[in-house]
Structure formats: structure tokens, C-alpha cells
């Protein structure tokens, strides 16, 4: 009896195990079938969940892994797809589908060795596997074995003469080899094989666009459109073609037709909006963007695009609203974090921008735009040494990134590296032959490097390209002034000023031409007329008063000169140069004590004025009474912490005494932020960089300062010192000799002579 009971228990356990296994198998199959059904309906997230449930029951379920990989590709999760196919290949190393998919991933990652291994395994079993041959052709292309890639494609056409995809690939190779006529015939053959294949027709149209046969391209596109006139995508493509040909009216019709044909689809709306924005119709663009937003209010890609739109149109607060709104919902959304960083750069909040950009670069190290804006943020902080590698990285990742190349060109120009400047500009002009900025920087580099005739050609090209832009005329006027061809100089400068009367650099050069001709009454007359025109603009008025004061000073009329320098300060207390000029007059007239008494009396009546403190500081500075000058600069900054003249002068005072260099850097950086175009501020910041051993940064600032004050011996001296420390002895000698040529007795002349003698 006991024996019978034992037999019964064993039998019961076995039957329960069989029932359990059967039940698990059924569940696994059920999950798998549901996953496939969801996949067919396009419900990929649900499909993924069911397939993972099936795999959880059976970790060796090959078909589930293959379907999961396919599902992950549909959801855009490439890493998960790769993992699924890798597991499938582990379960069945001979599985062709898994190995071909893995080979595709390896090709995309440019891992040709791993891809070839997978493909050759497939072709060993199936030598005529079409997909395997296509992938092998891709590997040959990756390894730059173009002739081998072509042979494989030709083999595919022998196996299956109807493989239009092979003909399209062959045409691309033939075009890259300069065999455009053969490529055209190959594309036509693909169309002949399958006339209804739109991809072949579109490939031929794009070929004609690249070959600059717009009429043939248009005819081909119209033929494609005639075959499927209700395709919104084709109308958008037609619109893109017309827009590229600057046929905006035809483009508009095509885009509007796309919207009409598919009104519930946001893609035509967004494309049309982008067109109207590029065409300069802001209101129409915004209307379409808002319509797309109404249709899909939770679509963050639409919201982000609208944010970019507002930033492009300098509507920064509106752009920030969109960026912040998106990031509240999805704090890690990369495009909106990028948008936020660009907004912060625009608002000159550089440390905050860098905090975001540093993280973005870590996450997407191959995203050139993030590197570019990281460079801009460092540049905004006067950190040229850190900015330059960021721009170089942006260009390395995207060799066609013209904006990054031109910022690099500007940096090289400031460093007086004219050859590298020219290289960046010339490469930019190959990409964008009509780029105005590239030609302007190239002209500036040529002029600075002494290639005057070539510089004149570049500036003349600017005038021809855009006669309504004053810059070409201004640069020609400056060039002719330097050549002492004063009639030509005035002719061009007057044209520039007529286009924009607010260009003070242009007006300054006009006055300098008259002064060079000793025509001071004419220069004074020009000043008076321009002062009357600009009487409602205090900043411009201050600059003009300063120019007129300089004319009086050049004629040794110190009384009138002082009057106009004081007017300049009254109009704009933050303007630096008239303070120096007043101090110079007081010293020349040996009336510094009288001036000190005058400004001290003013402060006794009202001590809360930064201007008198600034003048007193400048006078004591000139008298080399640094303790008193420092005291007054600090008093001015107590009254107004953002007062750039005092920040600049205090920084220079500190660095000249080799004390508190970090404070000097902070002060000079603040002055540069508030007065970025002031050459005295550039010189001060450059001198701080020099003392801190940042010679490239120093050279950049000194060079920028010299562009505005080319006849200042002290700045040439500073630039010479920086080149000397950097080991560029010839450039150092050139700058030091120029300083002594301008003034043999400037403060630092003895040191300049000593360095020259040592060479």
C-alpha cells in the first residue's frame, strides 16, 4: 500500500510539471503573438512590452528577440535594437537576419572589421544573399575600396537585373568619380526598369540639381508629381526645389498645396512656416507655427521650434518661456537645453550657459553646434584660450561650419596669425562664395599683413556685392587714408557715412583725413554739423565732443579742448577717453594742483559723484601718485560698481604694480563687458593676461586695440612684450620698433630698446 502511494505521488508531480510547462509555453506564445499584432498596428510600445514578457518566460526565445530588435528600430532605440539582435546571434550564431542587422549597426559605427566578419559569415552560407552583398559593398565604401564596392553592386544587378537600388548606388559612385554622363545614364536605366519607382525619379532630379541643370531637375520633379499629384510630400519637395532656386512665388504655391492636401498633418504646416520665416514673412510663419501648436499642443518638438523662431527674431523673453515650459516637463530634453544655452549666451549670462553646454558636449560629443556655442560662451568671458579649442572641435566635426570658421578667423586675426586667418576665410568662401563677413575678414588680414593691393580688391568686391552696406566703403576709405590717397579716402568714407550717419569710426577717419591735410577749420565744420545731427543721442554726442576736443588739442588750444572733453564726459560719463585727455591737459599746463582743488571742491559739495573721482584718479595716475589714484578709483566704484572707466584704470594700476592680479582680471573683465569696443579697455585686459602668462589671450586683446588705435606706441610695446614672451622674436622686434618709431620716449622705451638689442 505504501509503495502504491509513492507511485501515485510521483505521477502527480510529473503531471503537474507537464501542465506547468504547457501553461508557460502557452503564455510565452500568447505574449509573442500579441506583440506581433501590436507591431502590425503600429503600437510599438505595447509590442515591446509583450515581447519582453515572452522573453522573460523563455530567455532563449529567438523569434521574440528578432521581433524585439525590429520593434526597437521603429521606436528609434538603436542601442536596445543592437542588444536584441546581439542576443539573437548568441542564441543562434547562424541566424542570417540577426547577423545582417548587426553588420548594419557596425557599418553605421564605422567598424568595418566587425561588419565584414558578420557579412562574410552570411555570404559563406548564401553567396547570392542580396542584402549581404549590399552591406559588403557598404563596407568596401567605408574602407575606400570604391572599385570593389562597384564590382559588388554590378554582381547584384547580374543576380537580379531589377535591383534599382543597386543602380542608384552605382550612379552615386560614378558621379563621385566625375563620370556624370555615365551616372545620368545609370539613373535613367533604374527608371526604365521600374518607371513607378519614385526614389529613382527623385535621385535623377537631385542629380540634376547637383550638376546645376535646374531646368532638367524641374522637368523630372514635375514628372514625379504628375504621377502622384495628391502627395503632400512631393509638393513639399517641389517647394524646396523652387526655394533653392530663389523662385519664392512658385515655392509658396507648392507649400500651400501641400498644406491643402494634408491639412491634418503638421509636417506640411511646419515646412511652410519655415519657408515663410526664411522668406522674411514673420507674421505668416508664426501663424502657421501656432496652428501646428493648436493641432498638437503637447508636441515638444513643435514648441521647441517656435522657441528657436522667437530667439532668431531676438524675442528672447518669449523664446525663454518656451524653453522653460518644455524643460519643466522634460528636464533632459536635449534640443530645449541647447535652446536655453543659446538664450543664455545671447543674454551674456556666460557661466550659466557653460554649465549647460559642458553637459551637452559630454552627452553628444559629436554635436558641432554645442561646441560652437561653448566657444562663444568662453569668448564672452574673455577666455580665448578655452574658446579656441571649442571652435576647432566644431570645425573638425563639421568642416562646412562657416560660422565657426569665421570666429576662428577673427581669433587668428587678433593673434596676428594672418596666414591662418586667410586660410579659414578662403575655405569659408569656397563653401559660401557670397559670404560678406568672410571677404571682410580676409581683406582685413591682407591689409594688416601689408598686402595692400589684394586687400583693396577684397574691399572693392564687398562694395560690388552690397552697395548699400557701408562697411566696404569704410574699409576702402581707411586703406586709402593709410596710403595717403586722401581724395579717394574721403570719397569712400563720405559714401559710408551717407548710408549710416551713426558710424563714429567712419566720421573719425574723415576728421583724421582733414587733420592730416592740416585742414582744421574744415574738420571743425564737419564736427559742428554732425553734432547738430546727433544732438539727441548722448552716446554719439559724447564721441563727437571728444573728437572736437582732440582737434583743439592738436592745435594746442587747451582751453577749448578741455571744454569739449568736459562736454563729452557730461554727455556720457562712462566714456573713458576724455578723462585721459583732461588729465593730459592739466599736466601739460602744469595746473594739476589747481584741477585737483577744483574737483575736490566739487566732491565736497556732492561726494556721491563717480566722475570727479575718476578725473582725480586719472590726474594722480599721471603724477604717478598711485596710492591716491587707487583711492579715487575705488571711491568711484563704491558709488557705481559698474563704472567701466574706474574698473579699467584700477585694473591697469594694479597690474602695473604686479599686485592683486586676480582682482585686476575681474575688474578688466567687467570693464570689457561694459565697454567691449573701447581700445583702452582691450589694452588693459591684454596687459592683465600678459602678466598672468596667458600670452595668446594678451596678443588677441592688444591686436584688437591696435585696430582702433594703430598709432599708440604703448600698445605696440605691450604687443611686442607678449610676442617676446611667447618666443616669436621677429614679431616682437617688429612691434617694439614700431613703438619707438611712433615715440622714442614713451613710458617703456628703454625696455623696448634693451629687448631689441638682445635679439
Amino acid at each position: 500500500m505504501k509503495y502504491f502511494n509513492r507511485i501515485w505521488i510521483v505521477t502527480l508531480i510529473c503531471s503537474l510539471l507537464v501542465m506547468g510547462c504547457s501553461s508557460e509555453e502557452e503564455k510565452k506564445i500568447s505574449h509573442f503573438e500579441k506583440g506581433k499584432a501590436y507591431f502590425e498596428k503600429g503600437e510599438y510600445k505595447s509590442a515591446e512590452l509583450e515581447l519582453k514578457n515572452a522573453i522573460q518566460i523563455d530567455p532563449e526565445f529567438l523569434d521574440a528577440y528578432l521581433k524585439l530588435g525590429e520593434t526597437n528600430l521603429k521606436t528609434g532605440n538603436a542601442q536596445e535594437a543592437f542588444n536584441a539582435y546581439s542576443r539573437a546571434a548568441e542564441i543562434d550564431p547562424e541566424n542570417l537576419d540577426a547577423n545582417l542587422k548587426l553588420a548594419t549597426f557596425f557599418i553605421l559605427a564605422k567598424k568595418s572589421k566587425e561588419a565584414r566578419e558578420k557579412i562574410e559569415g552570411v555570404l559563406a552560407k548564401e553567396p547570392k544573399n542580396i542584402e549581404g552583398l549590399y552591406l559588403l559593398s557598404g563596407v568596401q565604401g567605408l574602407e575606400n575600396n570604391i572599385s570593389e564596392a562597384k564590382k559588388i553592386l554590378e554582381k547584384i544587378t547580374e543576380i537580379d537585373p531589377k535591383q534599382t537600388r543597386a543602380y542608384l548606388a552605382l550612379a552615386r559612385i560614378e558621379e563621385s568619380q566625375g563620370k556624370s554622363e555615365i551616372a545620368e545614364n545609370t539613373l535613367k536605366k533604374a527608371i526604365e526598369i521600374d518607371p513607378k519607382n519614385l526614389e529613382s525619379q527623385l535621385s535623377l532630379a537631385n542629380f540634376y540639381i547637383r550638376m546645376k541643370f535646374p531646368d532638367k531637375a524641374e522637368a523630372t520633379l514635375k514628372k514625379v508629381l504628375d504621377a502622384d499629384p495628391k502627395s503632400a510630400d512631393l509638393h513639399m519637395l517641389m517647394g524646396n526645389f523652387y526655394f533653392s532656386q530663389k523662385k519664392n512665388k512658385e515655392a509658396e504655391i507648392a507649400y500651400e498645396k501641400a498644406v491643402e492636401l494634408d491639412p491634418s498633418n503638421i509636417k506640411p504646416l511646419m515646412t511652410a512656416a519655415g519657408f515663410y520665416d526664411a522668406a522674411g514673412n514673420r507674421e505668416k510663419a508664426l501663424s502657421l507655427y501656432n496652428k501646428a501648436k493648436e493641432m498638437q499642443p503637447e508636441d515638444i518638438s513643435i514648441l521647441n521650434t517656435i522657441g528657436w523662431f522667437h530667439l532668431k527674431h531676438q524675442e528672447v523673453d518669449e523664446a525663454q518661456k518656451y524653453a522653460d515650459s518644455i524643460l519643466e516637463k522634460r528636464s533632459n530634453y536635449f534640443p530645449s537645453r541647447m535652446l536655453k544655452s543659446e538664450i543664455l549666451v545671447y543674454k551674456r549670462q556666460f557661466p550659466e550657459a557653460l554649465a549647460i553646454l559642458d553637459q551637452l558636449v559630454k552627452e553628444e560629443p559629436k554635436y558641432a553646434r554645442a561646441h560652437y556655442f561653448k566657444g562663444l560662451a568662453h569668448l564672452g568671458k574673455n577666455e580665448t584660450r578655452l574658446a579656441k579649442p571649442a571652435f576647432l572641435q566644431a570645425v573638425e566635426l563639421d568642416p562646412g561650419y562657416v560660422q565657426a570658421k569665421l570666429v576662428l578667423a577673427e581669433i587668428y586675426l587678433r593673434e596676428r596669425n594672418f596666414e591662418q586667418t586667410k586660410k579659414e576665410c578662403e575655405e569659408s568662401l569656397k563653401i559660401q562664395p557670397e559670404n560678406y563677413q568672410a571677404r571682410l575678414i580676409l581683406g582685413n588680414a591682407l591689409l594688416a599683413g601689408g598686402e595692400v593691393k589684394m586687400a583693396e580688391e577684397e574691399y572693392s568686391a564687398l562694395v560690388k556685392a552690397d552697395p548699400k552696406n557701408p562697411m566696404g566703403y569704410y574699409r576702402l576709405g581707411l586703406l586709402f587714408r593709410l596710403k595717403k590717397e586722401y581724395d579717394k579716402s574721403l570719397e569712400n568714407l563720405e559714401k559710408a557715412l551717407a548710408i549710416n550717419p551713426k558710424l563714429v569710426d567712419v566720421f573719425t577717419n574723415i576728421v583724421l583725413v582733414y587733420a592730416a591735410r592740416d585742414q582744421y577749420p574744415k574738420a571743425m565744420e564737419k564736427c559742428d554739423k554732425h553734432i547738430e545731427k546727433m544732438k539727441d543721442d548722448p552716446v554719439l554726442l559724447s564721441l563727437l565732443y571728444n573728437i572736437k576736443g582732440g582737434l583743439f588739442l592738436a592745435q594746442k588750444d587747451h582751453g577749448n579742448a578741455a571744454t569739449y572733453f568736459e562736454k563729452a564726459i557730461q554727455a556720457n560719463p562712462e566714456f573713458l577717453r576724455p578723462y585721459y585727455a583732461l588729465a593730459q591737459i592739466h599736466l601739460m599746463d602744469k595746473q594739476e594742483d589747481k584741477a585737483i582743488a577744483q574737483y575736490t571742491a566739487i566732491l565736497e559739495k556732492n561726494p556721491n559723484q563717480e566722475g570727479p573721482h575718476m578725473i582725480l584718479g586719472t590726474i594722480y595716475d599721471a603724477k604717478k601718485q598711485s596710492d591716491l589714484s587707487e583711492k579715487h578709483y575705488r571711491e568711484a566704484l563704491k558709488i557705481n560698481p559698474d563704472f567701466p572707466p574706474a574698473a579699467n584704470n584700477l585694473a591697469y594700476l594694479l597690474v602695473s604694480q604686479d599686485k592683486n592680479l586676480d582682482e585686476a582680471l575681474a575688474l578688466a573683465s567687467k570693464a570689457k563687458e561694459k565697454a567691449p569696443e573701447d581700445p583702452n579697455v582691450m589694452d588693459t585686459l591684454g596687459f592683465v593676461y600678459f602678466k598672468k602668462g596667458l600670452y595668446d589671450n594678451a596678443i588677441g586683446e592688444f591686436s584688437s586695440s591696435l585696430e582702433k588705435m594703430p598709432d599708440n606706441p604703448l600698445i605696440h610695446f605691450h604687443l611686442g612684450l607678449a610676442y617676446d614672451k611667447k618666443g616669436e622674436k621677429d614679431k616682437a622686434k617688429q612691434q617694439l620698433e614700431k613703438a619707438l618709431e611712433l615715440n622714442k620716449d614713451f613710458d617703456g622705451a628703454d625696455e623696448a630698446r634693451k629687448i631689441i638689442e638682445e635679439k
Side-chain angles (χ1 to χ4, degrees), residues 504 534-545 568 571-572 575:
V504 176
M534 300 297 148
K535 62 184 177 184
D536 296 326
D537 188 328
V539 173
L540 283 171
L541 200 58
S542 175
L543 291 161
L544 294 171
Y545 283 141
N572 179 17
F575 185 30

Side-chain angles (χ1 to χ4, degrees), residues 81-92:
F82 179 80
N83 293 341
Y85 286 121
S86 296
R87 183 71 183 107
E90 286 176 14
I91 295 166
D92 180 8

Side-chain angles (χ1 to χ4, degrees), residues 139-168:
V139 169
Q140 297 287 10
L142 197 62
E143 295 174 347
N144 210 27
N145 298 324
I146 304 302
S147 60
E148 289 302 314
K150 191 175 179 183
K151 284 179 186 177
I152 295 166
L153 291 168
E154 287 168 346
K155 182 177 180 181
I156 292 171
T157 62
E158 290 170 9
I159 296 168
D160 181 1
K162 292 187 177 181
Q163 280 288 328
T164 56
R165 180 178 157 197
Y167 288 106
L168 299 184

